[in-house]
């Protein structure tokens, strides 16, 4: 089975631009979660989607948004980029939303904002 | 969200057991204890999880205190590949998709 894939792997943007990151979950997985990882704040939960619905949202400004498609693929969008948005963005998928479900993480998208 | 406390770093020798502690004194009755680890330049990977009873799998064992206010991840024979940051996470029931990571414990393994 193929793992979680994220595209692109690396991205460079300038302040004020917007960016869209993509995540393809493991086949059969219906839950997708997004995380931001920075040296200063560590790993922070962004949001979780299940069956095209946002189930949970972390403490991030409205510039961060996401969606999930009927095939469970997910995208996250960041508008009006700031320097502080430079980070590794990780996506994780699991079969469902239950606590017993292991989350499988992708390799991440490294976003640099200049 | 309930918090966990872990040592910032630990050292181990290769092929020796490693006990990674985690304190979670504010755990609620429906919180599961999950452990993930992140190897250098990779996304986190699942290690083990439990509720009340001790758990074993091919990677590790999880020992949970009777009052559930602490737990210990046990790697039975550390290898160089086990060098990683280990995260102890409390996961409320039915919130499996929302992992709140702390700072974790950076484990280094000496040959």
């Amino acid at each position: 089975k193929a793992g979680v894939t994220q595209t692109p792997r690396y991205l460079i943007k300038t302040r004020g631009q917007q960016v869209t990151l993509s995540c393809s979950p493991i086949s059969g997985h219906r839950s997708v979660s997004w995380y931001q990882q920075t040296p200063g704040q560590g790993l922070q939960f962004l949001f979780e989607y299940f069956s095209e619905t946002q189930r949970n949202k972390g403490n991030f400004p409205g510039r961060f948004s996401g969606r999930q498609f009927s095939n469970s693929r997910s995208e996250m969008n960041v508008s009006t980029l700031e320097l502080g948005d430079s980070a590794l963005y990780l996506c994780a998928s699991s079969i469902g939303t239950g606590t017993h479900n292991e989350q499988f993480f992708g390799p991440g998208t490294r976003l640099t904002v200049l | 969200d309930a918090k966990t406390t872990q040592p910032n770093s630990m050292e181990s020798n290769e092929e020796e057991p490693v006990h990674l502690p985690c304190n979670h004194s504010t755990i609620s009755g429906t919180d599961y204890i999950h452990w993930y680890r992140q190897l250098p330049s990779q996304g986190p990977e699942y290690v083990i999880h439990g509720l009340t009873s001790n758990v074993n799998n091919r990677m590790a064992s999880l020992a949970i205190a009777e009052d559930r206010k602490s737990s210990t991840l046990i790697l039975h024979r550390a290898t160089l590949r086990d060098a990683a940051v280990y995260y102890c996470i409390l996961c409320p029931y039915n919130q499996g998709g929302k992992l709140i990571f702390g700072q974790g414990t950076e484990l280094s393994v000496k040959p």
Side-chain angles (χ1 to χ4, degrees):
Chain A
K1 240 184 194 178
V4 177
T5 56
Q6 294 187 242
T7 56
R9 292 292 312 278
Y10 302 90
L11 205 47
I12 299 175
K13 292 285 187 178
T14 56
R15 279 181 301 173
Q17 287 187 307
Q18 75 164 16
V19 67
T20 299
L21 312 182
S22 180
C23 172
S24 292
I26 291 172
S27 177
H29 285 194
R30 296 171 62 196
S31 173
V32 173
S33 298
W34 288 89
Y35 297 84
Q36 180 196 66
Q37 186 169 28
T38 60
Q41 298 297 317
L43 274 156
Q44 293 184 281
F45 171 77
L46 278 157
F47 24 66
E48 176 199 5
Y49 287 87
F50 179 76
S51 292
E52 302 178 66
T53 302
Q54 188 179 89
R55 289 192 76 241
N56 280 300
K57 189 177 191 308
N59 191 24
F60 278 81
R63 300 185 297 108
F64 291 81
S65 63
R67 59 179 175 168
Q68 186 180 34
F69 302 95
S70 59
N71 62 358
S72 295
R73 190 177 70 85
S74 178
E75 289 181 347
M76 68 163 281
N77 184 78
V78 188
S79 62
T80 320
L81 283 165
E82 300 177 0
L83 294 179
D85 297 333
S86 295
L88 180 67
Y89 290 88
L90 292 156
C91 152
S93 77
S94 61
I95 289 175
T97 60
T99 318
H100 292 288
N101 294 317
E102 174 184 347
Q103 286 202 40
F104 293 82
F105 283 79
T109 293
R110 172 76 62 184
L111 172 65
T112 302
V113 182
L114 302 176
Chain B
D1 299 310
K3 289 190 68 173
T4 62
T5 305
Q6 300 177 251
N8 288 334
S9 61
M10 290 184 65
E11 246 183 28
S12 171
N13 294 317
E14 196 175 13
E15 298 192 5
E16 288 186 357
V18 182
H19 291 232
L20 296 161
C22 180
N23 286 319
H24 28 78
S25 58
T26 59
I27 191 170
S28 75
T30 56
D31 286 343
Y32 282 73
I33 302 160
H34 285 238
W35 284 80
Y36 279 75
R37 71 180 185 180
Q38 187 171 23
L39 279 64
S41 303
Q42 294 188 27
E45 66 175 349
Y46 168 83
V47 177
I48 201 167
H49 79 277
L51 182 62
T52 55
S53 306
N54 295 345
V55 185
N56 300 296
N57 66 20
R58 65 173 180 81
M59 284 181 72
S61 295
L62 176 59
I64 302 172
E66 199 169 327
D67 63 5
R68 299 209 327 124
K69 293 186 176 183
S70 66
S71 60
T72 302
L73 178 71
I74 303 164
L75 307 179
H76 296 288
R77 288 184 67 198
T79 68
L80 297 178
R81 195 195 170 274
D82 291 322
V85 179
Y86 287 78
Y87 297 97
C88 169
I89 302 165
L90 297 184
C91 193
Y93 176 73
N94 211 30
Q95 296 288 318
K98 179 183 177 183
L99 297 177
I100 305 300
F101 288 84
Q103 293 306 305
T105 295
E106 183 169 11
L107 175 67
S108 57
V109 180
K110 296 186 292 184

